[in-house]
Amino acid sequence: MAHPSCPPRGSSASGKAYIRVLGGELRGGIFRLDGQPIVIGSSTDVNLSLPDPQALGRHAGLRYHEGKWSVEDLTGNGLSVNDISTTSRALSGGEILRVGATELQFSLEEPKSGLAEPLESKPPGRQDVLMDLVVEQGDGRDQGRRIQLFSGQEVILGRASEAQLVLHDCRSSRLHCRIEGDSREVAIVDLDSLNGTHVDGRQVQRAILRPGDTILVGRTSIRCLKS
């Protein structure tokens, strides 16, 4: 007689999983995943919206495929999973994800206490993406990094860990410059950096950015692309 086999560790036959918020304003909250892709971040149009100023609008994505869950970094800077920076990783349950300053615990087991709130499936909603920023030249650890700028969001570039685009460039300042925008315009603002911020070869204190412009931060060249 054939017996039903148990799913291997890290798999879920139904796609159900749970996220418990370990800190921040949503601390103690439990959210149920039902096999649909979800996005976590500070934007109001993502599945799990965190009131965390250090989180990007679309910070991390979780995906269920062939019986297993995985997480993907959406910032271009790497996502902390169990205090290890990664671009993507399979999840087996028990992992601690850090999104901005908020810690989340991923679990395949239904929590024994607390009511799990289902996360609604939402469309990707790229309508508020203003621009893509891509590192074209600079330190090898930074080249190829890409980050999206959303309407109403600020992106800080620099060497500091709290920057949204962290650069391994000794000629960049800790908090070098800020890029911000809305439906009307996208602007870059120098944050009193030591070596200045340049757009298309011109040093600027504040400037309007357009697709095709090149930003120079220290020795790092960043291209602005239409999203």
Side-chain angles (χ1 to χ4, degrees):
M1 177 183 293
H3 294 278
S5 58
C6 295
R9 177 174 171 77
S11 68
S12 170
S14 65
K16 282 188 178 181
Y18 302 87
I19 292 177
R20 182 188 294 271
V21 183
L22 302 181
E25 292 185 25
L26 300 183
R27 182 176 181 178
I30 303 171
F31 300 91
R32 189 182 76 234
L33 286 61
D34 291 317
Q36 299 299 317
I38 72 159
V39 174
I40 304 171
S42 60
S43 176
T44 57
D45 70 342
V46 299
N47 308 96
L48 179 49
S49 180
L50 302 174
D52 183 343
Q54 294 188 34
L56 296 190
R58 297 168 65 85
H59 201 109
L62 273 73
R63 179 171 177 259
Y64 181 71
H65 181 64
E66 295 183 349
K68 293 186 178 182
W69 281 97
S70 62
V71 64
E72 178 183 4
D73 168 57
L74 302 179
T75 70
N77 290 326
L79 176 72
S80 174
V81 180
N82 292 343
D83 292 328
I84 299 174
S85 181
T86 183
T87 55
S88 63
R89 172 171 168 165
L91 299 175
S92 59
E95 292 86 358
I96 303 296
L97 318 178
R98 181 180 292 276
V99 176
T102 305
E103 287 191 338
L104 310 170
Q105 184 174 38
F106 175 84
S107 176
L108 295 174
E109 298 180 359
E110 185 172 358
K112 297 179 181 179
S113 62
L115 181 64
E117 178 181 344
L119 285 177
E120 296 180 3
S121 178
K122 296 185 180 181
R126 289 178 55 91
Q127 67 273 10
D128 61 345
V129 180
L130 302 177
M131 186 175 288
D132 282 11
L133 306 171
V134 181
V135 179
E136 291 192 331
Q137 295 181 358
D139 188 282
R141 290 168 289 183
D142 300 331
Q143 287 188 36
R145 282 186 171 176
R146 177 185 294 260
I147 192 169
Q148 291 181 320
L149 177 70
F150 289 80
S151 181
Q153 176 194 11
E154 293 183 352
V155 171
I156 294 179
L157 288 66
R159 291 184 290 106
S161 60
E162 58 264 35
Q164 280 74 47
L165 183 55
V166 179
L167 302 174
H168 299 84
D169 184 339
C170 62
R171 290 185 61 83
S172 68
S173 297
R174 294 185 70 257
L175 300 176
H176 195 104
C177 61
R178 179 180 72 244
I179 300 175
E180 57 194 9
D182 54 29
S183 58
R184 297 169 298 174
E185 65 181 27
V186 176
I188 185 169
V189 179
D190 182 72
L191 299 177
D192 296 325
S193 64
L194 180 63
N195 292 308
T197 298
H198 298 75
V199 177
D200 288 342
R202 180 172 60 94
Q203 184 168 347
V204 300
Q205 181 59 40
R206 185 183 188 277
I208 302 302
L209 294 177
R210 296 175 177 83
D213 286 350
T214 298
I215 303 166
L216 187 65
V217 174
R219 294 191 178 97
T220 304
S221 177
I222 301 161
R223 178 77 70 172
C224 302
L225 298 178
K226 185 176 182 180
S227 185

PDB file of all heavy atoms in Angstrom, residues 193-221:
ATOM      1  N   SER A 193      28.773  67.107   0.810  1.00  0.00           N
ATOM      2  CA  SER A 193      29.802  66.075   0.642  1.00  0.00           C
ATOM      3  C   SER A 193      31.175  66.714   0.464  1.00  0.00           C
ATOM      4  O   SER A 193      31.294  67.865   0.017  1.00  0.00           O
ATOM      5  CB  SER A 193      29.475  65.202  -0.572  1.00  0.00           C
ATOM      6  OG  SER A 193      29.519  65.975  -1.765  1.00  0.00           O
ATOM      7  N   LEU A 194      32.218  65.953   0.786  1.00  0.00           N
ATOM      8  CA  LEU A 194      33.582  66.467   0.710  1.00  0.00           C
ATOM      9  C   LEU A 194      34.015  66.724  -0.729  1.00  0.00           C
ATOM     10  O   LEU A 194      34.617  67.754  -1.045  1.00  0.00           O
ATOM     11  CB  LEU A 194      34.542  65.482   1.381  1.00  0.00           C
ATOM     12  CG  LEU A 194      36.026  65.883   1.389  1.00  0.00           C
ATOM     13  CD1 LEU A 194      36.212  67.169   2.185  1.00  0.00           C
ATOM     14  CD2 LEU A 194      36.869  64.761   1.982  1.00  0.00           C
ATOM     15  N   ASN A 195      33.701  65.812  -1.635  1.00  0.00           N
ATOM     16  CA  ASN A 195      34.169  65.912  -3.016  1.00  0.00           C
ATOM     17  C   ASN A 195      33.089  66.359  -3.996  1.00  0.00           C
ATOM     18  O   ASN A 195      33.325  66.397  -5.202  1.00  0.00           O
ATOM     19  CB  ASN A 195      34.757  64.567  -3.470  1.00  0.00           C
ATOM     20  CG  ASN A 195      36.037  64.235  -2.731  1.00  0.00           C
ATOM     21  OD1 ASN A 195      36.959  65.048  -2.674  1.00  0.00           O
ATOM     22  ND2 ASN A 195      36.088  63.060  -2.122  1.00  0.00           N
ATOM     23  N   GLY A 196      31.916  66.672  -3.485  1.00  0.00           N
ATOM     24  CA  GLY A 196      30.882  67.215  -4.349  1.00  0.00           C
ATOM     25  C   GLY A 196      30.108  66.152  -5.115  1.00  0.00           C
ATOM     26  O   GLY A 196      30.527  64.998  -5.234  1.00  0.00           O
ATOM     27  N   THR A 197      28.957  66.572  -5.638  1.00  0.00           N
ATOM     28  CA  THR A 197      28.102  65.717  -6.464  1.00  0.00           C
ATOM     29  C   THR A 197      28.061  66.301  -7.865  1.00  0.00           C
ATOM     30  O   THR A 197      27.871  67.521  -8.029  1.00  0.00           O
ATOM     31  CB  THR A 197      26.675  65.661  -5.886  1.00  0.00           C
ATOM     32  OG1 THR A 197      26.730  65.089  -4.564  1.00  0.00           O
ATOM     33  CG2 THR A 197      25.758  64.820  -6.758  1.00  0.00           C
ATOM     34  N   HIS A 198      28.256  65.450  -8.864  1.00  0.00           N
ATOM     35  CA  HIS A 198      28.319  65.911 -10.248  1.00  0.00           C
ATOM     36  C   HIS A 198      27.242  65.229 -11.087  1.00  0.00           C
ATOM     37  O   HIS A 198      26.991  64.034 -10.930  1.00  0.00           O
ATOM     38  CB  HIS A 198      29.695  65.628 -10.851  1.00  0.00           C
ATOM     39  CG  HIS A 198      30.819  66.332 -10.146  1.00  0.00           C
ATOM     40  ND1 HIS A 198      31.296  65.921  -8.911  1.00  0.00           N
ATOM     41  CD2 HIS A 198      31.546  67.425 -10.504  1.00  0.00           C
ATOM     42  CE1 HIS A 198      32.280  66.730  -8.540  1.00  0.00           C
ATOM     43  NE2 HIS A 198      32.452  67.647  -9.485  1.00  0.00           N
ATOM     44  N   VAL A 199      26.620  66.007 -11.982  1.00  0.00           N
ATOM     45  CA  VAL A 199      25.640  65.486 -12.930  1.00  0.00           C
ATOM     46  C   VAL A 199      26.106  65.875 -14.325  1.00  0.00           C
ATOM     47  O   VAL A 199      26.250  67.072 -14.627  1.00  0.00           O
ATOM     48  CB  VAL A 199      24.230  66.043 -12.660  1.00  0.00           C
ATOM     49  CG1 VAL A 199      23.242  65.530 -13.715  1.00  0.00           C
ATOM     50  CG2 VAL A 199      23.752  65.650 -11.270  1.00  0.00           C
ATOM     51  N   ASP A 200      26.390  64.875 -15.142  1.00  0.00           N
ATOM     52  CA  ASP A 200      26.893  65.096 -16.507  1.00  0.00           C
ATOM     53  C   ASP A 200      28.103  66.030 -16.511  1.00  0.00           C
ATOM     54  O   ASP A 200      28.207  66.960 -17.320  1.00  0.00           O
ATOM     55  CB  ASP A 200      25.784  65.643 -17.407  1.00  0.00           C
ATOM     56  CG  ASP A 200      24.741  64.594 -17.747  1.00  0.00           C
ATOM     57  OD1 ASP A 200      25.031  63.401 -17.584  1.00  0.00           O
ATOM     58  OD2 ASP A 200      23.639  64.966 -18.172  1.00  0.00           O
ATOM     59  N   GLY A 201      29.010  65.805 -15.547  1.00  0.00           N
ATOM     60  CA  GLY A 201      30.258  66.552 -15.513  1.00  0.00           C
ATOM     61  C   GLY A 201      30.181  67.892 -14.826  1.00  0.00           C
ATOM     62  O   GLY A 201      31.209  68.578 -14.699  1.00  0.00           O
ATOM     63  N   ARG A 202      29.028  68.291 -14.345  1.00  0.00           N
ATOM     64  CA  ARG A 202      28.871  69.598 -13.705  1.00  0.00           C
ATOM     65  C   ARG A 202      28.582  69.416 -12.220  1.00  0.00           C
ATOM     66  O   ARG A 202      27.680  68.667 -11.855  1.00  0.00           O
ATOM     67  CB  ARG A 202      27.728  70.352 -14.382  1.00  0.00           C
ATOM     68  CG  ARG A 202      27.441  71.735 -13.806  1.00  0.00           C
ATOM     69  CD  ARG A 202      26.428  72.465 -14.691  1.00  0.00           C
ATOM     70  NE  ARG A 202      25.175  71.720 -14.766  1.00  0.00           N
ATOM     71  CZ  ARG A 202      24.135  71.930 -13.978  1.00  0.00           C
ATOM     72  NH1 ARG A 202      24.214  72.843 -13.005  1.00  0.00           N
ATOM     73  NH2 ARG A 202      23.023  71.237 -14.132  1.00  0.00           N
ATOM     74  N   GLN A 203      29.358  70.105 -11.373  1.00  0.00           N
ATOM     75  CA  GLN A 203      29.113  70.005  -9.936  1.00  0.00           C
ATOM     76  C   GLN A 203      27.831  70.754  -9.597  1.00  0.00           C
ATOM     77  O   GLN A 203      27.605  71.878 -10.060  1.00  0.00           O
ATOM     78  CB  GLN A 203      30.277  70.573  -9.127  1.00  0.00           C
ATOM     79  CG  GLN A 203      30.102  70.389  -7.618  1.00  0.00           C
ATOM     80  CD  GLN A 203      31.361  70.681  -6.845  1.00  0.00           C
ATOM     81  OE1 GLN A 203      32.440  70.796  -7.406  1.00  0.00           O
ATOM     82  NE2 GLN A 203      31.233  70.796  -5.526  1.00  0.00           N
ATOM     83  N   VAL A 204      26.990  70.122  -8.767  1.00  0.00           N
ATOM     84  CA  VAL A 204      25.686  70.701  -8.448  1.00  0.00           C
ATOM     85  C   VAL A 204      25.445  70.640  -6.952  1.00  0.00           C
ATOM     86  O   VAL A 204      25.945  69.755  -6.251  1.00  0.00           O
ATOM     87  CB  VAL A 204      24.542  69.963  -9.179  1.00  0.00           C
ATOM     88  CG1 VAL A 204      24.734  70.032 -10.694  1.00  0.00           C
ATOM     89  CG2 VAL A 204      24.434  68.507  -8.720  1.00  0.00           C
ATOM     90  N   GLN A 205      24.675  71.606  -6.460  1.00  0.00           N
ATOM     91  CA  GLN A 205      24.133  71.544  -5.111  1.00  0.00           C
ATOM     92  C   GLN A 205      22.756  70.910  -5.142  1.00  0.00           C
ATOM     93  O   GLN A 205      22.400  70.095  -4.301  1.00  0.00           O
ATOM     94  CB  GLN A 205      24.050  72.935  -4.489  1.00  0.00           C
ATOM     95  CG  GLN A 205      23.504  72.965  -3.065  1.00  0.00           C
ATOM     96  CD  GLN A 205      24.328  72.144  -2.099  1.00  0.00           C
ATOM     97  OE1 GLN A 205      25.566  72.149  -2.162  1.00  0.00           O
ATOM     98  NE2 GLN A 205      23.670  71.424  -1.196  1.00  0.00           N
ATOM     99  N   ARG A 206      21.992  71.266  -6.169  1.00  0.00           N
ATOM    100  CA  ARG A 206      20.694  70.658  -6.446  1.00  0.00           C
ATOM    101  C   ARG A 206      20.476  70.712  -7.940  1.00  0.00           C
ATOM    102  O   ARG A 206      20.788  71.714  -8.589  1.00  0.00           O
ATOM    103  CB  ARG A 206      19.557  71.389  -5.723  1.00  0.00           C
ATOM    104  CG  ARG A 206      18.198  70.706  -5.892  1.00  0.00           C
ATOM    105  CD  ARG A 206      17.081  71.505  -5.226  1.00  0.00           C
ATOM    106  NE  ARG A 206      15.818  70.767  -5.229  1.00  0.00           N
ATOM    107  CZ  ARG A 206      14.964  70.731  -6.264  1.00  0.00           C
ATOM    108  NH1 ARG A 206      15.251  71.407  -7.389  1.00  0.00           N
ATOM    109  NH2 ARG A 206      13.838  70.040  -6.180  1.00  0.00           N
ATOM    110  N   ALA A 207      19.932  69.636  -8.489  1.00  0.00           N
ATOM    111  CA  ALA A 207      19.692  69.597  -9.931  1.00  0.00           C
ATOM    112  C   ALA A 207      18.531  68.664 -10.235  1.00  0.00           C
ATOM    113  O   ALA A 207      18.269  67.707  -9.491  1.00  0.00           O
ATOM    114  CB  ALA A 207      20.943  69.132 -10.678  1.00  0.00           C
ATOM    115  N   ILE A 208      17.843  68.947 -11.326  1.00  0.00           N
ATOM    116  CA  ILE A 208      16.781  68.074 -11.813  1.00  0.00           C
ATOM    117  C   ILE A 208      17.415  66.943 -12.618  1.00  0.00           C
ATOM    118  O   ILE A 208      18.295  67.189 -13.454  1.00  0.00           O
ATOM    119  CB  ILE A 208      15.780  68.859 -12.690  1.00  0.00           C
ATOM    120  CG1 ILE A 208      15.187  70.023 -11.894  1.00  0.00           C
ATOM    121  CG2 ILE A 208      14.680  67.932 -13.188  1.00  0.00           C
ATOM    122  CD1 ILE A 208      14.472  69.619 -10.628  1.00  0.00           C
ATOM    123  N   LEU A 209      16.979  65.717 -12.359  1.00  0.00           N
ATOM    124  CA  LEU A 209      17.499  64.547 -13.073  1.00  0.00           C
ATOM    125  C   LEU A 209      16.532  64.121 -14.157  1.00  0.00           C
ATOM    126  O   LEU A 209      15.313  64.160 -13.968  1.00  0.00           O
ATOM    127  CB  LEU A 209      17.722  63.389 -12.095  1.00  0.00           C
ATOM    128  CG  LEU A 209      18.814  63.570 -11.038  1.00  0.00           C
ATOM    129  CD1 LEU A 209      18.837  62.368 -10.108  1.00  0.00           C
ATOM    130  CD2 LEU A 209      20.181  63.782 -11.681  1.00  0.00           C
ATOM    131  N   ARG A 210      17.114  63.677 -15.272  1.00  0.00           N
ATOM    132  CA  ARG A 210      16.329  63.168 -16.386  1.00  0.00           C
ATOM    133  C   ARG A 210      16.930  61.846 -16.849  1.00  0.00           C
ATOM    134  O   ARG A 210      18.133  61.620 -16.665  1.00  0.00           O
ATOM    135  CB  ARG A 210      16.297  64.173 -17.537  1.00  0.00           C
ATOM    136  CG  ARG A 210      15.591  65.485 -17.177  1.00  0.00           C
ATOM    137  CD  ARG A 210      15.670  66.512 -18.281  1.00  0.00           C
ATOM    138  NE  ARG A 210      14.924  67.716 -17.920  1.00  0.00           N
ATOM    139  CZ  ARG A 210      15.400  68.690 -17.178  1.00  0.00           C
ATOM    140  NH1 ARG A 210      16.635  68.606 -16.688  1.00  0.00           N
ATOM    141  NH2 ARG A 210      14.659  69.763 -16.911  1.00  0.00           N
ATOM    142  N   PRO A 211      16.131  60.975 -17.449  1.00  0.00           N
ATOM    143  CA  PRO A 211      16.680  59.716 -17.970  1.00  0.00           C
ATOM    144  C   PRO A 211      17.859  59.978 -18.902  1.00  0.00           C
ATOM    145  O   PRO A 211      17.810  60.877 -19.745  1.00  0.00           O
ATOM    146  CB  PRO A 211      15.490  59.109 -18.719  1.00  0.00           C
ATOM    147  CG  PRO A 211      14.285  59.676 -18.033  1.00  0.00           C
ATOM    148  CD  PRO A 211      14.664  61.072 -17.654  1.00  0.00           C
ATOM    149  N   GLY A 212      18.930  59.216 -18.698  1.00  0.00           N
ATOM    150  CA  GLY A 212      20.140  59.389 -19.491  1.00  0.00           C
ATOM    151  C   GLY A 212      21.222  60.159 -18.777  1.00  0.00           C
ATOM    152  O   GLY A 212      22.400  60.097 -19.167  1.00  0.00           O
ATOM    153  N   ASP A 213      20.859  60.903 -17.711  1.00  0.00           N
ATOM    154  CA  ASP A 213      21.866  61.651 -16.956  1.00  0.00           C
ATOM    155  C   ASP A 213      22.818  60.693 -16.242  1.00  0.00           C
ATOM    156  O   ASP A 213      22.442  59.571 -15.864  1.00  0.00           O
ATOM    157  CB  ASP A 213      21.198  62.552 -15.906  1.00  0.00           C
ATOM    158  CG  ASP A 213      20.531  63.772 -16.518  1.00  0.00           C
ATOM    159  OD1 ASP A 213      20.750  64.024 -17.721  1.00  0.00           O
ATOM    160  OD2 ASP A 213      19.788  64.457 -15.799  1.00  0.00           O
ATOM    161  N   THR A 214      24.053  61.161 -16.032  1.00  0.00           N
ATOM    162  CA  THR A 214      25.051  60.391 -15.287  1.00  0.00           C
ATOM    163  C   THR A 214      25.451  61.152 -14.035  1.00  0.00           C
ATOM    164  O   THR A 214      25.834  62.319 -14.097  1.00  0.00           O
ATOM    165  CB  THR A 214      26.301  60.128 -16.146  1.00  0.00           C
ATOM    166  OG1 THR A 214      25.940  59.350 -17.288  1.00  0.00           O
ATOM    167  CG2 THR A 214      27.347  59.360 -15.352  1.00  0.00           C
ATOM    168  N   ILE A 215      25.330  60.474 -12.894  1.00  0.00           N
ATOM    169  CA  ILE A 215      25.699  61.054 -11.602  1.00  0.00           C
ATOM    170  C   ILE A 215      27.084  60.534 -11.237  1.00  0.00           C
ATOM    171  O   ILE A 215      27.354  59.330 -11.353  1.00  0.00           O
ATOM    172  CB  ILE A 215      24.691  60.651 -10.518  1.00  0.00           C
ATOM    173  CG1 ILE A 215      23.273  61.065 -10.908  1.00  0.00           C
ATOM    174  CG2 ILE A 215      25.066  61.238  -9.168  1.00  0.00           C
ATOM    175  CD1 ILE A 215      22.201  60.389 -10.048  1.00  0.00           C
ATOM    176  N   LEU A 216      27.947  61.424 -10.772  1.00  0.00           N
ATOM    177  CA  LEU A 216      29.266  61.010 -10.290  1.00  0.00           C
ATOM    178  C   LEU A 216      29.353  61.300  -8.800  1.00  0.00           C
ATOM    179  O   LEU A 216      29.231  62.457  -8.365  1.00  0.00           O
ATOM    180  CB  LEU A 216      30.379  61.746 -11.044  1.00  0.00           C
ATOM    181  CG  LEU A 216      31.805  61.253 -10.735  1.00  0.00           C
ATOM    182  CD1 LEU A 216      31.986  59.811 -11.213  1.00  0.00           C
ATOM    183  CD2 LEU A 216      32.842  62.169 -11.386  1.00  0.00           C
ATOM    184  N   VAL A 217      29.533  60.234  -8.010  1.00  0.00           N
ATOM    185  CA  VAL A 217      29.682  60.320  -6.563  1.00  0.00           C
ATOM    186  C   VAL A 217      31.037  59.728  -6.223  1.00  0.00           C
ATOM    187  O   VAL A 217      31.218  58.507  -6.317  1.00  0.00           O
ATOM    188  CB  VAL A 217      28.552  59.553  -5.840  1.00  0.00           C
ATOM    189  CG1 VAL A 217      28.790  59.533  -4.340  1.00  0.00           C
ATOM    190  CG2 VAL A 217      27.206  60.179  -6.152  1.00  0.00           C
ATOM    191  N   GLY A 218      32.004  60.587  -5.868  1.00  0.00           N
ATOM    192  CA  GLY A 218      33.365  60.095  -5.704  1.00  0.00           C
ATOM    193  C   GLY A 218      33.878  59.582  -7.048  1.00  0.00           C
ATOM    194  O   GLY A 218      33.888  60.317  -8.037  1.00  0.00           O
ATOM    195  N   ARG A 219      34.243  58.303  -7.091  1.00  0.00           N
ATOM    196  CA  ARG A 219      34.666  57.685  -8.357  1.00  0.00           C
ATOM    197  C   ARG A 219      33.568  56.806  -8.953  1.00  0.00           C
ATOM    198  O   ARG A 219      33.795  56.086  -9.919  1.00  0.00           O
ATOM    199  CB  ARG A 219      35.918  56.832  -8.131  1.00  0.00           C
ATOM    200  CG  ARG A 219      37.167  57.621  -7.738  1.00  0.00           C
ATOM    201  CD  ARG A 219      38.398  56.729  -7.795  1.00  0.00           C
ATOM    202  NE  ARG A 219      39.617  57.449  -7.486  1.00  0.00           N
ATOM    203  CZ  ARG A 219      40.189  57.480  -6.295  1.00  0.00           C
ATOM    204  NH1 ARG A 219      39.607  56.823  -5.294  1.00  0.00           N
ATOM    205  NH2 ARG A 219      41.306  58.149  -6.104  1.00  0.00           N
ATOM    206  N   THR A 220      32.373  56.854  -8.364  1.00  0.00           N
ATOM    207  CA  THR A 220      31.280  55.978  -8.771  1.00  0.00           C
ATOM    208  C   THR A 220      30.352  56.682  -9.750  1.00  0.00           C
ATOM    209  O   THR A 220      29.848  57.776  -9.467  1.00  0.00           O
ATOM    210  CB  THR A 220      30.469  55.506  -7.553  1.00  0.00           C
ATOM    211  OG1 THR A 220      31.357  54.863  -6.623  1.00  0.00           O
ATOM    212  CG2 THR A 220      29.374  54.545  -7.968  1.00  0.00           C
ATOM    213  N   SER A 221      30.147  56.046 -10.893  1.00  0.00           N
ATOM    214  CA  SER A 221      29.275  56.598 -11.936  1.00  0.00           C
ATOM    215  C   SER A 221      27.939  55.862 -11.921  1.00  0.00           C
ATOM    216  O   SER A 221      27.896  54.632 -11.996  1.00  0.00           O
ATOM    217  CB  SER A 221      29.942  56.440 -13.308  1.00  0.00           C
ATOM    218  OG  SER A 221      29.099  56.889 -14.338  1.00  0.00           O
TER     219      SER A 221
END
